[in-house]
Amino acid sequence: MAIKSQLLLSLLVLALSITCNNASFVRRGKNHTQTMSTGKAYKVLITHPEVPQEGIDLLKENCELIQVQSLPTNRAELLQKIRGVDGVLWGGHEALNAEVLDAAGPQLKSISTMSAGIDYVDVPEVKKRKIPLGHTPTVLNTAVADLAVGLLIAAGRRFHEGRRKIETDNWENYHLNWMLGQDIRDSIVGFYGFGGIGQAIAKRLSGFDIDQVLYTTRRRVHKEIEQELNAKKVDFDTLLAQSDFVVIASPLTADTQGVFNTTAFNKMKETAVLVNIGRGKIVNQDDLYEALKSNKIFAAGLDVTDPEPLSAKDKLLSLDNVVVLPHIGSATKRTRAEMATIAAHNVLRGLVGEPMLSPAY
Ligand SMILES: O=C(O)C(=O)CO
């Protein structure tokens, strides 16, 4: 499934690049078409200095590009450069809200983020102004899924604690029951959120001879996917009670915020491992700290935290049984290039009033 969908996606990207390169990128005025003094039809802001060249090359054929140079993003520079642009490729995770939309002006007609999650976007504000909004799911599924499997193994098999044992001269493998971890073989893996990323993780885990996949989502996934992944939809309490590994692969919304709290941890197995590659705020981090410290659950592997960046002094980092990464799920060169490519196509399509490749709403 994953290979097929990657292939399809590559074909789609190729097809789109042909369409977009041939499209007539003339500015659509009320009665006339016009181009700018630069000869380019549209002005597009790229809000990050490190957006991969693949995306920039696509845009620059038909658009005059302006780019934010500061890093971390200087809000004043962003607000000044966004004035009067037709499109925006939103490269970072800064708040995209009424302030920036007001600064841009009413001519703004196309925005795409370079991320799957859009919790930093005030979507109702964008919608209210009828501006098409794109994002970049799918292309990062494999990179995030690979990392999630890594976290699941690292937390379940105590990688971080093991490293600490060495660093503190406490290597005690003369004990037969030293550093024993959790088996993935024959385990039940529960997914909170089971879209493309969750399914890509389950697909990878099928190679580890797991017993069963459970998932909690609002809507049931297709029967064929359930069959292929040996997956069964269950309610949240069942997911918590039965899973040996619980993987959070859901977006952050008003409904998902803080759902993993003490009440939830108390319903999990004491041997359970929690993995979060969704968003930090889905977990109440103080409650997670208590659950890990008191061994209410076995371990956690987190690529996302609350806040980000997490302070080096955060109490979570004092624990042996948590593996924490600095939100690097999609951080591979190829994935970043593909994200920039999809985001650029989204922007170009929005500019000419065509449906975006991956619309956010
Ligand atoms: O694109 C996103 O939303 C991510 O968090 C990638 O890890």
Side-chain angles (χ1 to χ4, degrees):
M1 181 199 77
I3 294 174
K4 256 195 250 156
S5 62
Q6 269 310 115
L7 192 65
L8 274 176
L9 187 72
S10 307
L11 288 173
L12 197 55
V13 168
L14 183 68
L16 274 163
S17 94
I18 294 163
T19 327
C20 287
N21 290 343
N22 291 339
S24 151
F25 274 87
V26 283
R27 194 182 179 89
R28 289 175 183 174
K30 258 198 180 137
N31 305 311
H32 307 285
T33 55
Q34 57 183 108
T35 55
M36 293 179 180
S37 55
T38 54
K40 308 271 172 125
Y42 294 104
K43 211 187 222 185
V44 169
L45 175 71
I46 297 170
T47 69
H48 197 287
E50 294 171 346
V51 167
Q53 198 59 36
E54 287 84 346
I56 291 178
D57 287 347
L58 275 169
L59 288 168
K60 79 175 179 208
E61 278 187 38
N62 298 296
C63 308
E64 179 193 340
L65 300 186
I66 308 161
Q67 197 159 6
V68 169
Q69 299 300 340
S70 52
L71 199 59
T73 306
N74 176 311
R75 193 81 174 167
E77 183 191 357
L78 173 70
L79 293 174
Q80 190 254 318
K81 287 189 170 167
I82 205 167
R83 250 182 250 152
V85 302
D86 302 293
V88 179
L89 193 160
W90 197 265
H93 286 206
E94 299 79 32
L96 199 177
N97 55 15
E99 181 189 33
V100 287
L101 298 171
D102 286 343
Q107 77 300 325
L108 181 58
K109 52 181 79 59
S110 182
I111 307 174
S112 180
T113 69
M114 223 185 89
S115 64
I118 52 166
D119 41 289
Y120 54 88
V121 181
D122 188 339
V123 176
E125 272 297 329
V126 182
K127 252 189 190 170
K128 195 171 86 188
R129 294 158 203 247
K130 300 191 171 52
I131 302 169
L133 175 70
H135 65 145
T136 61
T138 317
V139 283
L140 46 73
N141 289 358
T142 55
V144 178
D146 290 350
L147 189 103
V149 173
L151 277 174
L152 190 143
I153 298 171
R157 297 298 302 275
R158 308 167 73 163
F159 283 14
H160 176 66
E161 186 181 353
R163 166 82 190 229
R164 280 190 169 179
K165 296 277 187 213
I166 299 170
E167 285 173 350
T168 54
D169 273 330
N170 282 306
W171 187 324
E172 299 167 11
N173 66 346
Y174 43 85
H175 291 301
L176 286 181
N177 59 355
W178 189 64
M179 290 288 294
L180 302 186
Q182 304 301 329
D183 276 309
I184 303 179
R185 175 180 52 155
D186 294 330
S187 68
I188 295 180
V189 183
F191 288 86
Y192 182 74
F194 200 50
I197 294 177
Q199 290 168 29
I201 299 168
K203 167 95 177 160
R204 280 156 178 69
L205 289 176
S206 66
F208 288 79
D209 302 324
I210 60 174
D211 179 40
Q212 163 96 72
V213 167
L214 303 178
Y215 70 92
T216 298
T217 51
R218 267 183 298 159
R219 261 175 278 135
R220 195 175 156 184
V221 304
H222 286 133
K223 239 199 210 135
E224 300 80 63
I225 294 174
E226 283 190 345
Q227 271 161 8
E228 184 189 342
L229 300 174
N230 188 23
K232 188 167 120 192
K233 185 173 182 324
V234 293
D235 62 40
F236 188 46
D237 280 358
T238 306
L239 186 93
L240 296 173
Q242 294 188 2
S243 301
D244 299 299
F245 296 88
V246 176
V247 181
I248 302 174
S250 134
L252 174 66
T253 65
D255 291 337
T256 64
Q257 180 156 357
V259 160
F260 281 82
N261 53 19
T262 298
T263 311
F265 296 131
N266 285 342
K267 291 175 182 166
M268 288 170 65
K269 296 181 180 179
E270 287 194 351
T271 50
V273 174
L274 179 75
V275 171
N276 188 4
I277 48 83
R279 283 292 181 264
K281 283 188 194 305
I282 297 171
V283 174
N284 179 319
Q285 213 160 272
D286 286 333
D287 290 0
L288 175 63
Y289 171 81
E290 292 303 332
L292 289 168
K293 195 171 163 58
S294 60
N295 295 77
K296 270 255 155 260
I297 64 171
F298 185 77
L302 313 173
D303 184 41
V304 287
T305 56
D306 177 24
E308 289 180 9
L310 190 68
S311 159
K313 296 193 181 80
D314 196 283
K315 61 185 174 188
L316 205 56
L317 301 178
S318 67
L319 299 174
D320 277 340
N321 55 348
V322 60
V323 178
V324 190
L325 297 178
H327 199 155
I328 52 171
S330 62
T332 73
K333 203 165 185 320
R334 176 173 167 186
T335 303
R336 286 278 192 268
E338 289 175 353
M339 290 163 81
T341 302
I342 301 292
H345 279 306
N346 282 339
V347 172
L348 289 169
R349 294 186 136 239
L351 288 173
V352 294
E354 287 174 11
M356 287 187 167
L357 180 53
S358 33
Y361 61 77

